[in-house]
Structure formats: C-alpha cells, structure tokens
Amino acid sequence: LRLAVPWKYGFKSIKAIDVLEFIEPAQVRSEQMDTPYFLAPDKGGNKSYALLLAAMESAGKVALGRVAMRQREHLCILRPYGEGLLMETLHWADEMREMHDLEIVLPPVDPKELAMAKQLVAALEGSGDLGEYKDEYRVALEALIEAKATGKAAPVAETAAPAPSDNIMAGLMASIESAKAKKPALAKAKKKAA
C-alpha cells in the first residue's frame, strides 16, 4: 500500500509513505522509536486520512512503513494519536543493540542502601509534567548570546562538579537532602506562575 496522499509533514521532500504491513502496537518497542511527526491532511487528503485513521483505530493496529526524508530512508510507524495520525521514525534493526550485549554484572544489593535509594525515589516523586522543566543549556546559551549582542559581560554559571565518592550511603543521603530542599522551591515557583 502506497500512501501518496498530500499530507503535511513539515518536509516538502516527502512524496509518499510505503505501508509495508499492519502490526500490533506492542510489536514496536520504545527503544526503537526515534522522532515523532504529527501528520495532518492537506487539501484533497481528508477522506483517505480519515479512512486510514478509522480503520487502524477499529483494528487496534499501527502501520509499519518506509519513508524517505532528508536524503535518507527511514522505517516508520503511523498510529492514531488523539484525533489524528502520528508518524514516528524508527531505528533500523542493525542500528539497535540488545541489553544482553552489554554483559552487565550486578553486585548484591545491601538492604540499608536499598532503603535509602527508596527514600530518594520517594523524595523525587513528581507529577511527570514535562512543562515544569526547561532546557537549561539553551537558556544559558541564549543569555550568553544576548549578553554578547548587547555588549554586556557574559553570565558565569555557578555549578560545582560533584566530588567522586565510593561511599554510596553518603551519596544517597546527600541526594535525598538535595531533593527535599528542591521540592519546596518547585512548589513556590508553581504558585508564582499560577
């Protein structure tokens, strides 16, 4: 099946998506996914777009396909997303590594250290709202560019590299205290923004 429907991708070089097969969504692992793209129907594409969307929703399937963009061929999946379609490019199988390739050897876990690690997890538990976080590197870079453009002194970052430590308990304790200190600051920032 070749979808040569004029959909909006943000890339004018995309002429078609070749649908190779329809599969269960669980067959595509999250680590295989690369980049998501929202697909919207363009002029003349509404009917086929709606039909494909309805058919996949009804069958509970996603489309595995092939698409060429940016002078490269990609595997992709098309899947229903909200009221539209989402295309996600995938890594090729030969680009993937398996976890067993890493040959990880885990030492036994000390119960006291595990209890401390669980405290850290509880202290850092949050809402999962990605809007709460900013790309700090980009913000600092923009501040640097702005300072340079206006002839001001470049801002200096105040960060200290963490000291390496073999004492896991001390490191966990420091992380827990740091997380507890950050929680009230985050709550205050949310209240100010509201």
Side-chain angles (χ1 to χ4, degrees):
L1 171 65
R2 183 170 196 115
L3 302 174
V5 181
W7 295 343
K8 297 176 189 171
Y9 301 103
F11 296 102
K12 292 184 179 176
S13 62
I14 297 177
K15 301 283 190 257
I17 299 172
D18 290 323
V19 174
L20 306 171
E21 57 185 315
F22 291 93
I23 61 174
E24 295 292 329
Q27 288 180 259
V28 181
R29 302 184 331 238
S30 60
E31 65 269 20
Q32 291 173 289
M33 295 181 192
D34 188 15
T35 307
Y37 299 91
F38 293 108
L39 304 181
D42 207 353
K43 285 185 179 178
N46 290 25
K47 184 72 173 177
S48 56
Y49 181 95
L51 187 60
L52 178 63
L53 175 61
M56 286 197 300
E57 284 177 330
S58 176
K61 304 283 185 180
V62 297
L64 177 64
R66 184 187 314 255
V67 62
M69 60 184 190
R70 295 183 176 167
Q71 291 83 39
R72 185 167 180 231
E73 188 174 66
H74 300 269
L75 276 178
C76 67
I77 58 164
L78 298 175
R79 66 180 174 97
Y81 186 83
E83 296 180 8
L85 289 173
L86 181 73
M87 177 180 78
E88 292 182 271
T89 56
L90 304 174
H91 294 287
W92 295 95
D94 64 351
E95 297 173 335
M96 300 289 300
R97 289 186 68 184
E98 295 296 330
M99 190 64 127
H100 61 79
D101 293 341
L102 300 179
E103 299 177 10
I104 298 172
V105 179
L106 298 174
V109 175
D110 179 272
K112 289 180 184 177
E113 293 171 348
L114 179 59
M116 294 290 288
K118 286 180 178 180
Q119 284 182 12
L120 176 61
V121 169
L124 289 174
E125 190 171 330
S127 67
D129 178 9
L130 300 183
E132 293 179 8
Y133 301 97
K134 303 289 182 245
D135 180 347
E136 293 176 11
Y137 177 81
R138 187 182 74 206
V139 170
L141 183 60
E142 288 172 352
L144 177 64
I145 292 169
E146 179 67 24
K148 293 272 187 181
T150 58
K152 296 180 182 173
V156 178
E158 297 178 25
T159 58
S165 172
D166 287 338
N167 186 339
I168 293 174
M169 293 296 276
L172 285 171
M173 198 62 167
S175 295
I176 291 168
E177 294 305 316
S178 174
K180 286 179 180 176
K182 287 180 183 175
K183 281 267 184 175
L186 265 176
K188 286 180 186 175
K190 282 185 191 177
K191 285 181 183 177
K192 280 186 179 179

